[in-house]
Amino acid sequence: MQVETRVFTVSELTMYISDILESIPDLQWVTVEGEISNWSPWRNRYVFFTLKDERAILNCVIFNINDLNMKDLGDGVLVRATGRIRVYPQKGQYQLQCEKIEVVSKLGRLYKLYHELKEKLRREGLFEKVKKPIPPFPRKIAVVTSRDGAAIRDVINTISRRYPLVELRLYHTAVQGEGAKYEIVRALTLADSDDVDIIILARGGGSFEDLWPFNEEMVVRKVYSLRHPVITGVGHEVDFTLVDFVADLRAPTPTGAAERSVPDMRELLKHLDTMFEKAGNNLMRKLQDMDRRFENMRKMLRVQHPSKKLERRLEDCDRFLKMLESSVNRKLDKTLWDLETLWMETLKGDPSDRIEKMEESLGTLSGVLREKIGGRIRDMEHGMTLIKEKLKNVDPRGPLRKGYVLVRRAGKIVRRVHVLEQDDNIELNFHDGVAEAVVRKVGDRRTEV
Amino acid sequence: MEIEELKFEEAFKKLEEISKRLEDPELSLEESIELFKEGVALYKYCKKKLNEARLKVKDVLKDLEEVE
């Protein structure tokens, strides 16, 4: 037998549920205690948020924000909210429309945990860890984050733009929710065993709960114990997760972490340009200096070159010759002038007088000449006689004439008596002939023959 | 060593060294010119490396998972 079943449209069913909920008086003015999370003000008019405890969450909305003291409210605050339960058909959700909110504790449970753990780790000295230096030119960078998140895109874009020489090695992990902490620890362990230069631990912005895995003790301790330098970039600027305190470098965002992990190529290029310009200038200066020195040397050489000296001497000679020439010319001119004057004077007189005068001067001239030449000849004759006398003195025959004799044996002149022996045949040379003789006895002056 | 075999950062450091050494006034002209030539080559190499580089991204765990 078929049971009659009523078929609802989605709207009809939603309205049906709405009617039921709104007909329950207890739900029309109800007070709920829970911790605020996902606090999202919308254009200063509404605030959407959730209230939660360990097992459940409740969507909430505040419409009359002007009636409430908002400044103490936000994520993690434990509150008592009063209002009515209403269905929100468009989302298929029920929600608490709050009229009144009372703060129970500003530190929510998670915040409490956060501060307790932070204090514990601080006392242990984990935050005083010696920071490892970040290598300035990394080649391999491990990124521990979700392959589906915004963080990995930010990291890739940033490093691509700044320093594309690296290899990025993504170690995927869940970054929120239950179990994320185990995945993060596993990914960090794998990344640390890789031969990378830097590890980036990143996650995009989110609520305090979203970022919670990065406050988990096992994750913080793992980050603390990594061999490789680690940069954290979790959440937004204002968020401080506990991993930030044990990282070698804390960046405010994933993009920030990427920026700090690599140098900026454009700055490097600029640096290269500067260095190079400087090097070029140095070299230029050096060349100019060399050029100057070379030029100086060339000048010095030109001045001191031997050919220069010779040239200077030649110039001196030239100058001297010119001087000489001009003085000789002057003298010649003067002589010619004198002669001319004399000639002109001579022409003025009577022709016979002229001849007489000329004969007279010719006579004088020849007289002078005869005298001078005669003297010269006498000088020469005298010189010749002297030379003859001198020559006579060196003639070897001179002494022979005086009675000396030249002795030869076998054609050779004998200068000492002791080279002679008895019965030697010798020649006696006189100035007018030769006599042959035989030595009878040889002796010195004391045993004169 | 051939420049082409150098890693970028090695070339970069070498270039920095050369640039420092070129500031030494005692360095002879010949040495300066040699160093400068080497510097030019390194400079070009560094620029080329930077300009030609493309970021490599490897999803390590994806590869592992696919193997598994």
Side-chain angles (χ1 to χ4, degrees):
Chain A
M1 192 182 108
Q2 196 164 1
V3 182
E4 273 295 314
T5 314
R6 184 178 162 189
V7 177
F8 291 92
T9 63
V10 174
S11 299
E12 281 165 356
L13 182 64
T14 304
M15 289 315 293
Y16 183 51
I17 293 169
S18 174
D19 286 344
I20 292 170
L21 287 179
E22 285 179 20
S23 70
I24 300 169
D26 280 354
L27 295 182
Q28 299 318 301
W29 191 251
V30 62
T31 300
V32 190
E33 184 175 305
E35 191 186 290
I36 295 175
S37 62
N38 293 321
W39 182 259
S40 317
W42 191 79
R43 291 189 180 172
N44 265 341
R45 275 191 261 164
Y46 324 120
V47 183
F48 297 101
F49 63 101
T50 57
L51 284 179
K52 64 167 194 174
D53 58 19
E54 286 77 10
R55 287 189 296 275
I57 67 163
L58 172 68
N59 292 312
C60 304
V61 62
I62 303 170
F63 288 120
N64 54 337
I65 60 167
N66 298 325
D67 298 347
L68 295 170
N69 184 5
M70 303 288 288
K71 77 172 166 41
D72 288 336
L73 302 178
D75 285 354
V77 180
L78 190 65
V79 293
R80 281 186 190 141
T82 306
R84 55 182 168 276
I85 296 294
R86 282 283 180 274
V87 166
Y88 180 22
Q90 289 90 337
K91 288 268 185 182
Q93 288 177 344
Y94 63 92
Q95 59 188 20
L96 179 69
Q97 291 183 358
C98 302
E99 300 291 338
K100 205 176 101 185
I101 294 185
E102 192 187 325
V103 174
V104 176
S105 162
K106 280 186 203 170
L107 291 175
R109 191 176 140 269
L110 288 178
Y111 278 92
K112 223 170 124 201
L113 280 176
Y114 174 93
H115 285 289
E116 279 166 8
L117 182 57
K118 188 174 169 188
E119 194 49 35
K120 179 183 161 192
L121 297 175
R122 184 203 303 287
R123 271 199 226 107
E124 266 186 54
L126 255 66
F127 300 162
E128 274 122 67
K129 146 176 152 160
V130 180
K131 309 279 186 204
K132 287 186 273 291
I134 309 299
F137 297 105
R139 284 178 221 159
K140 283 185 193 166
I141 298 177
V143 188
V144 176
T145 191
S146 165
R147 70 166 66 93
D148 310 310
I152 187 63
R153 287 199 307 274
D154 290 347
V155 169
I156 289 174
N157 288 340
T158 305
I159 295 184
S160 241
R161 173 169 49 81
R162 284 174 67 93
Y163 192 72
L165 293 162
V166 295
E167 182 186 331
L168 281 190
R169 298 172 73 84
L170 167 66
Y171 284 83
H172 170 76
T173 175
V175 289
Q176 73 183 79
E178 284 300 312
K181 59 184 176 185
Y182 302 108
E183 278 194 48
I184 295 171
V185 168
R186 174 177 174 255
L188 281 172
T189 307
L190 288 170
D192 204 32
S193 67
D194 200 349
D195 68 329
V196 294
D197 303 300
I198 301 171
I199 297 172
I200 294 177
L201 178 60
R203 190 211 187 282
S207 69
F208 191 69
E209 289 88 338
D210 290 341
L211 303 183
W212 186 252
F214 298 89
N215 292 317
E216 293 279 5
E217 188 170 354
M218 65 183 298
V219 175
V220 179
R221 289 190 186 280
K222 184 73 213 176
V223 170
Y224 175 82
S225 67
L226 291 173
R227 283 189 307 135
H228 292 109
V230 57
I231 305 176
T232 52
V234 178
H236 284 312
E237 279 80 356
V238 292
D239 300 320
F240 253 94
T241 52
L242 291 180
V243 289
D244 290 331
F245 294 99
V246 292
D248 296 297
L249 187 63
R250 183 255 170 187
T253 59
T255 301
E259 278 170 356
R260 282 160 179 74
S261 69
V262 290
D264 189 348
M265 175 173 103
R266 285 165 303 181
E267 271 167 33
L268 286 184
L269 284 173
K270 213 166 22 170
H271 182 54
L272 283 181
D273 284 341
T274 318
M275 278 196 320
F276 217 50
E277 209 182 297
K278 222 155 88 181
N281 286 344
N282 276 329
L283 192 61
M284 261 329 202
R285 253 202 312 283
K286 197 159 278 190
L287 278 170
Q288 279 165 357
D289 187 47
M290 283 285 169
D291 195 43
R292 210 163 37 238
R293 276 157 66 183
F294 178 68
E295 188 52 40
N296 284 345
M297 261 163 18
R298 218 157 55 99
K299 272 184 199 153
M300 254 166 60
L301 268 177
R302 214 185 294 140
V303 174
Q304 297 193 338
H305 193 273
S307 76
K308 269 287 149 186
K309 282 188 183 168
L310 194 65
E311 256 175 51
R312 276 205 301 282
R313 290 285 151 79
L314 284 174
E315 276 168 16
D316 287 348
C317 284
D318 252 17
R319 227 177 5 258
F320 181 67
L321 271 176
K322 276 195 185 117
M323 246 165 63
L324 209 63
E325 215 174 78
S326 70
S327 90
V328 168
N329 279 343
R330 269 203 304 280
K331 277 187 183 155
L332 265 176
D333 282 349
K334 191 171 181 306
T335 311
L336 277 173
W337 175 254
D338 287 351
L339 277 173
E340 227 164 338
T341 318
L342 185 67
W343 188 243
M344 292 301 280
E345 274 172 8
T346 311
L347 285 179
K348 275 181 201 155
D350 181 82
S352 62
D353 270 4
R354 219 163 31 183
I355 290 165
E356 229 169 82
K357 264 186 191 166
M358 279 177 79
E359 275 177 347
E360 195 183 311
S361 53
L362 271 174
T364 320
L365 248 176
S366 65
V368 170
L369 271 176
R370 210 176 299 129
E371 202 181 307
K372 289 220 161 148
I373 291 168
R376 203 61 218 255
I377 288 169
R378 273 196 304 277
D379 285 350
M380 280 167 77
E381 278 173 346
H382 179 64
M384 288 287 278
T385 320
L386 284 177
I387 289 166
K388 268 186 199 160
E389 280 305 310
K390 275 185 187 156
L391 280 174
K392 229 181 267 169
N393 287 340
V394 296
D395 183 358
R397 285 170 307 184
L400 298 189
R401 279 199 194 89
K402 287 178 183 164
Y404 295 93
V405 170
L406 185 74
V407 180
R408 289 184 205 261
R409 186 185 59 181
K412 283 184 180 168
I413 294 171
V414 177
R415 289 193 172 81
R416 294 175 188 284
V417 73
H418 290 291
V419 304
L420 293 176
E421 282 170 17
Q422 202 174 342
D423 298 330
D424 273 353
N425 289 312
I426 54 172
E427 256 179 20
L428 303 176
N429 291 266
F430 295 84
H431 79 96
D432 54 349
V434 180
E436 287 181 9
V438 178
V439 176
R440 285 237 304 273
K441 192 179 176 185
V442 179
D444 55 19
R445 274 184 217 277
R446 273 173 296 174
T447 55
E448 243 171 302
V449 184
Chain B
M1 189 178 187
E2 287 298 309
I3 283 182
E4 295 295 319
E5 291 168 29
L6 288 177
K7 302 261 187 301
F8 171 81
E9 63 270 25
E10 290 168 341
F12 190 79
K13 274 179 195 147
K14 235 180 153 178
L15 187 51
E16 266 188 320
E17 273 170 32
I18 285 178
S19 135
K20 276 205 197 86
R21 282 190 62 200
L22 278 172
E23 282 176 36
D24 181 2
E26 298 299 308
L27 202 66
S28 76
L29 185 65
E30 266 172 53
E31 277 175 297
S32 296
I33 289 171
E34 277 311 305
L35 277 176
F36 191 76
K37 272 198 221 156
E38 203 185 335
V40 172
L42 284 166
Y43 175 72
K44 281 187 182 159
Y45 176 70
C46 283
K47 273 204 134 162
K48 191 171 145 237
K49 272 251 159 181
L50 279 177
N51 289 330
E52 287 178 358
R54 292 286 171 269
L55 184 68
K56 271 183 271 173
V57 184
K58 197 177 173 205
D59 191 334
V60 181
L61 298 186
K62 195 175 208 166
D63 297 349
L64 276 182
E65 282 152 18
E66 277 164 10
V67 170
E68 282 162 11

